[in-house]
Every structure is written in C-alpha cells, then in structure tokens.
Amino acid sequence: MYNGYENEDDYVRSLKKNNTYRFSYNYEIVVNRFGDGDDDVELANATVDITVSWDDSSVPGYIISWNVDAPTSLPNEWTNSKEEIVKEVIVMYLYNDLEENGISSETFKFV
C-alpha cells in the first residue's frame, strides 16, 4: 500500500488536477553589445511558453513541454541556449505557479 493506494502509480494519478495548464513568461536577453560597459547592450524579450499536460499512460502524469520565441538566434555570444533559459524560468517561476495550482513535484516530468 502507498498512502492508501495499491501502488505509487495509483497514488500519483489521484493527485491529478486539470488536464492542461499553459504559462507564458518574458525573459530578458542580450541581442547586441556595442561597448565594453555593462550597460552597453541592446536588450529584448524572449517569450517562454510552457504547457503542462496530463498523460495518464505514464507516471508521473504531467508532462512539461516548452517553446522559446526569441527575436534572435539562441544561444548567441551574450545569452544562453533556449534550454538554459527554460531551466532558469522553471526555477524562477514555474515551480511556484504549479504549486499555486496544487500540482506537486511528484506529478510532473520534463520532455
């Protein structure tokens, strides 16, 4: 028995909330540097779109997928890769937003 359920998979499935959640975050990136100073940069926003969808065929059940829309190719000389940006956004924002929606870390995985 696992928390009153026959197995861990059944327990995790019992934690399901809504089928799908969508989140969008702005992330400031450097698109150009025109001097040596810290302020000698051109900044722009990349948009990080994250979808959290329930997949009952595997546990944990929520699968997190993402897309980064940036005004320039990433990585560039000054900004990390899209994957690194997503990792930062997940730590800075997504974990908290999932928790606010009642989704615990034991119910999701990244694709």
Side-chain angles (χ1 to χ4, degrees):
M1 295 286 278
Y2 191 87
N3 285 341
Y5 292 87
E6 281 190 36
N7 57 52
E8 185 177 2
D9 289 1
D10 289 341
Y11 167 70
V12 171
R13 285 186 179 99
S14 76
L15 300 175
K16 176 185 175 190
K17 303 294 180 192
N18 293 335
N19 285 326
T20 305
Y21 297 88
R22 288 186 175 78
F23 302 93
S24 186
Y25 306 98
N26 286 325
Y27 186 92
E28 194 170 68
I29 62 171
V30 176
V31 295
N32 193 14
R33 180 171 286 283
F34 50 85
D36 294 331
D38 289 341
D39 295 334
D40 297 336
V41 296
E42 178 184 351
L43 301 173
N45 278 328
T47 303
V48 180
D49 294 312
I50 298 177
T51 302
V52 181
S53 302
W54 185 262
D55 178 4
D56 203 41
S57 66
S58 64
V59 171
Y62 285 106
I63 296 175
I64 297 174
S65 56
W66 54 268
N67 182 57
V68 177
D69 183 24
T72 187
S73 295
L74 295 176
N76 62 30
E77 294 179 51
W78 315 283
T79 302
N80 289 329
S81 68
K82 291 179 179 182
E83 291 81 6
E84 291 299 315
I85 290 171
V86 169
K87 287 178 187 177
E88 285 185 41
V89 165
I90 287 169
V91 170
M92 291 187 314
Y93 305 112
L94 184 65
Y95 286 143
N96 187 52
D97 287 344
L98 291 175
E99 186 177 297
E100 286 179 3
N101 282 283
I103 300 172
S104 67
S105 62
E106 61 194 331
T107 64
F108 61 82
K109 62 184 170 188
F110 299 97
V111 176

